Amino acid sequence: MRTTLAAVLLSFASLTAHAAEPVSVSSTYVELDPMSFDISGTNAWQAVTFTNNTASRIPIYGLAWNGPFDFNYRCGADGNSLDPYGKCTLWVYMKENAGTPAGYHAGEVAFRVATGNIEVDLAGFVYSLFPKTGTKNLVDSLTTLGLPAASVDRLRPPAVTAKKYIWDAYASNDKNACAYVRTFIDRAEQEAAANRITDWEALVLIKQAQEVLTQVRCCNR
């Protein structure tokens, strides 16, 4: 196959433009795996790597972001700059905040360096309402998630019955509610299996119900 001079020049120009970026990022999109969440409501940290492509130290001014996320990073020997040709790792995880509804959330973080902002799109899954899940939040989430009316009709009775036995899952240890919470989990799984609600909506509900089971010390199924 013959390679034209124009093609070579175009390829070289593309490589040169990419190499000219003072700071590059391993990924401009991070989706936090909902299945990595533990029962406390946080998921495993995930990492994004930034690379200094220059021979100069690049100061770091910090982070700006929107969405229910939390961050940590350390860069360079002083923690506040990118070493020449060095790397920096940014860790991110979902963090539920007051007023954050259960469900799937998208956001953005801007890694602010002397050469300009580097933006990374984020998406993740908050399954519990703030504060920690109780039976009230389990019932309220049926409305928050905007489930189909038919699914709500099937899911609400066991949740409401459980709520009668536990006024608030943090303060009570009423095991009479355990069977109703387990029934609720079964119904949520059935609704998802029948494609009447999405898998992530079912995961929100099931995770919240499991938290209630833990709080009232119900035996595992």
Side-chain angles (χ1 to χ4, degrees):
M1 177 184 295
R2 294 179 59 190
T3 303
T4 66
L5 178 60
V8 171
L9 292 174
L10 181 61
S11 176
F12 179 76
S14 176
L15 289 172
T16 303
H18 180 74
E21 296 176 3
V23 180
S24 57
V25 60
S26 61
S27 176
T28 57
Y29 176 74
V30 176
E31 184 166 11
L32 303 173
D33 180 7
M35 298 309 295
S36 70
F37 277 72
D38 62 30
I39 203 66
S40 67
T42 61
N43 66 301
W45 290 89
Q46 287 189 240
V48 178
T49 302
F50 297 88
T51 302
N52 180 355
N53 298 314
T54 75
S56 302
R57 186 175 302 277
I58 299 179
I60 294 170
Y61 301 139
L63 297 172
W65 71 89
N66 61 66
F69 308 97
D70 201 4
F71 304 91
N72 192 13
Y73 73 90
R74 181 170 179 83
C75 304
D78 60 4
N80 295 306
S81 63
L82 273 163
D83 291 334
Y85 300 109
K87 295 182 183 295
C88 169
T89 301
L90 164 71
W91 293 274
V92 58
Y93 73 96
M94 295 294 296
K95 181 180 182 181
E96 58 192 30
N97 299 305
T100 301
Y104 197 76
H105 294 268
E108 185 180 63
V109 58
F111 194 72
R112 302 171 59 207
V113 298
T115 55
N117 289 353
I118 305 169
E119 297 180 354
V120 178
D121 292 322
L122 303 167
F125 194 85
V126 172
Y127 72 78
S128 60
L129 302 174
F130 190 95
K132 278 189 174 295
T133 3
T135 49
K136 180 180 185 299
N137 285 337
L138 182 60
V139 175
D140 289 349
S141 65
L142 300 179
T143 302
T144 305
L145 291 172
L147 301 178
S151 291
V152 172
D153 290 342
R154 283 183 285 267
L155 291 166
R156 192 182 296 277
V160 172
T161 305
K163 185 178 176 182
K164 290 179 182 177
Y165 289 107
I166 307 175
W167 289 103
D168 188 323
Y170 321 67
S172 179
N173 186 27
D174 193 339
K175 290 182 174 57
N176 289 325
C178 295
Y180 297 102
V181 176
R182 291 192 184 102
T183 298
F184 179 87
I185 292 174
D186 290 339
R187 294 279 176 83
E189 290 173 344
Q190 291 166 4
E191 294 299 293
N195 294 319
R196 289 189 287 261
I197 60 176
T198 67
D199 288 340
W200 71 261
E201 288 168 339
L203 183 62
V204 170
L205 298 169
I206 291 168
K207 285 286 191 178
Q208 291 197 32
Q210 288 172 340
E211 176 71 6
V212 174
L213 291 177
T214 300
Q215 289 173 345
V216 297
R217 297 179 177 85
C218 296
C219 295
N220 293 330
R221 291 192 293 173

